[in-house]
Amino acid sequence: MAVARSNLRRFETGHLPEVEFDAARSYVCYERNLYYMYSWCRGLRMFPLFYLDRALGWTYSGGAEPLAAVNNGLQDFLRSHVTTELFLTPPEIRETLREAFRRGEVAAVEAWVSHTDGSRYVTSILIEGMDDGDVAYFAKFNGFLNHTGHPMPFDRLLSDLFVYPDGTALITLHRDAPAVDALAAMSSLDAFRHVFGDLYGYSWAHGPLTRHGKTVASSNSGLDEFLCELDRGLHQISTDAGVPKQQQFRLGRNVFNRFEPIQQYLRFVQTDSILSNELGKPLIREVSEQLRLMDAALQNVLKFVSLLTVKPIPTVFELYVEQIRTLRDLQPAYRQANLAVMKSLTT
């Protein structure tokens, strides 16, 4: 068994190529870290398969990300096979990370950063390692950052951490992932079935789709509740100065980043020769149609959020709300296409 390379070292500063950068930005901030670690650094071509269950339903969140997936096998897989979550006080963090980096691990941290308008928000930053000079090296990908191995004084990192009221910060360690390397060695069909059944616990054994023996929920109540929030009007998300950056991201990019990873997954299924041959032409045509409809809906969501920032008026806001209604109305057929893909490839 190979020994993991220590991350107590100096890193070369770099960036993702444009195509990979665009792909990484399809995901929410903490999952961009995963894309970078597994798809780019470890060459996991099958990374989109981790999202095979995301389209099955949505719940509502009143926070920065208005929608959360009802089913998220990736999150459970990571906690079982890859990550360790630690709540540490800032004085404990330096030595804890040193030991983790010595083992070849990396760490995701929640940190404060600033929008271009000066407003502050919390995001996930991947700390790839640190050197003997107490410099941390991080990776970050968003609308204006494309950094790998980027240096930051460790004291600066500590000062930017998001600290909870109890005085602790969340540090998520990512250890070596043999399960990910095993996926990379499989055929796409074997990888699909392995993620579906072995890693995520899904089954058709009793007729309807189950997970760990329980029938899988497929509610879209989250989109209905989001629409109820929006129906309260423009005043709740705007100020005299317009629509704040936090709201722009919440209404636009944070909605887009919920659905675009599923689009990436369906495109992978559609273009992979082994999987597409297994699905057959009629289902591939249906997948193509659902991809087209969802692409159009998501682009309209982004377009009307952009227009709303220029013209924060009720008529433009209603046009945006109409796009969310369209997104909601697409879900039954979109979910059925996803279920059909899952069943065709696993039965």
Side-chain angles (χ1 to χ4, degrees):
M1 179 177 174
V3 177
R5 183 185 182 189
S6 171
N7 288 321
L8 277 178
R9 56 188 172 89
R10 184 181 179 85
F11 283 70
E12 292 293 326
T13 300
H15 62 274
L16 287 177
E18 198 64 31
V19 171
E20 296 293 338
F21 179 52
D22 286 343
R25 292 179 64 232
S26 299
Y27 302 92
V28 294
C29 62
Y30 41 88
E31 291 179 348
R32 288 173 202 161
N33 297 338
L34 301 175
Y35 179 86
Y36 169 64
M37 286 189 290
Y38 297 145
S39 183
W40 177 248
C41 295
R42 302 181 84 102
L44 181 64
R45 185 179 68 88
M46 271 82 78
F47 181 82
L49 297 185
F50 283 132
Y51 294 82
L52 60 81
D53 62 348
R54 290 292 177 94
L56 300 181
W58 300 96
T59 59
Y60 171 76
S61 166
E65 298 170 359
L67 300 171
V70 174
N71 300 282
N72 188 342
L74 175 57
Q75 183 180 71
D76 295 338
F77 161 71
L78 292 172
R79 287 174 175 169
S80 297
H81 294 269
V82 179
T83 61
T84 301
E85 294 183 348
L86 302 173
F87 285 91
L88 303 172
T89 63
E92 298 172 315
I93 291 171
R94 193 185 311 258
E95 287 308 311
T96 299
L97 289 188
R98 277 193 177 280
E99 285 302 312
F101 296 147
R102 187 173 287 112
R103 296 191 297 267
E105 298 176 5
V106 296
V109 302
E110 296 175 325
W112 287 100
V113 297
S114 296
H115 285 299
T116 52
D117 66 354
S119 60
R120 302 256 285 168
Y121 67 102
V122 177
T123 190
S124 178
I125 295 176
L126 184 69
I127 310 301
E128 300 186 84
M130 62 190 297
D131 64 20
D132 291 337
D134 242 12
V135 173
Y137 296 88
F138 72 92
K140 183 62 182 173
F141 316 101
N142 58 25
F144 52 93
L145 293 179
N146 179 4
H147 289 327
T148 67
H150 197 76
M152 174 191 288
F154 201 85
D155 287 342
R156 164 72 185 279
L157 171 66
L158 290 178
S159 70
D160 287 344
L161 286 178
F162 173 75
V163 178
Y164 287 86
D166 66 356
T168 63
L170 174 61
I171 309 296
T172 303
L173 302 179
H174 291 256
R175 57 187 177 272
D176 195 30
V180 172
D181 293 333
L183 272 178
M186 296 179 185
S187 72
S188 53
L189 182 58
D190 286 343
F192 192 106
R193 292 172 174 171
H194 184 56
V195 172
F196 175 86
D198 301 325
L199 299 184
Y200 287 9
Y202 289 104
S203 173
W204 302 98
H206 304 292
L209 182 65
T210 61
R211 186 172 184 227
H212 303 311
K214 297 181 180 179
T215 301
V216 171
S218 58
S219 168
N220 279 311
S221 63
L223 279 156
D224 290 325
E225 291 184 54
F226 186 36
L227 281 165
C228 287
E229 173 202 314
L230 297 173
D231 284 342
R232 293 198 291 270
L234 175 61
H235 67 277
Q236 67 178 318
I237 59 100
S238 65
T239 68
D240 291 341
V243 180
K245 278 287 186 183
Q246 293 96 327
Q247 288 292 348
Q248 293 174 32
F249 275 77
R250 183 172 188 268
L251 300 179
R253 199 75 200 183
N254 286 352
V255 172
F256 178 89
N257 288 147
R258 284 302 185 219
F259 293 94
E260 183 59 21
I262 308 168
Q263 295 286 87
Q264 297 284 347
Y265 151 70
L266 289 177
R267 289 187 190 102
F268 180 86
V269 168
Q270 179 191 47
T271 57
D272 181 88
S273 59
I274 295 174
L275 297 180
S276 60
N277 287 337
E278 192 78 15
L279 293 176
K281 291 182 179 179
L283 184 50
I284 286 294
R285 283 195 295 271
E286 176 61 16
V287 167
S288 297
E289 177 64 4
Q290 294 304 318
L291 278 166
R292 183 187 69 82
L293 292 171
M294 183 61 72
D295 276 340
L298 292 175
Q299 289 306 313
N300 280 336
V301 167
L302 295 179
K303 179 176 75 175
F304 283 101
V305 168
S306 179
L307 184 58
L308 187 63
T309 64
V310 178
K311 293 185 176 180
I313 57 177
T315 53
V316 175
F317 181 66
E318 184 51 43
L319 289 171
Y320 165 78
V321 175
E322 189 59 36
Q323 308 316 307
I324 300 299
R325 291 194 188 101
T326 298
L327 198 63
R328 188 268 315 274
D329 293 344
L330 288 176
Q331 293 311 302
Y334 191 68
R335 182 175 65 245
Q336 283 306 118
N338 275 270
L339 283 168
V341 167
M342 292 168 73
K343 191 155 193 175
S344 179
L345 295 176
T346 57
T347 58

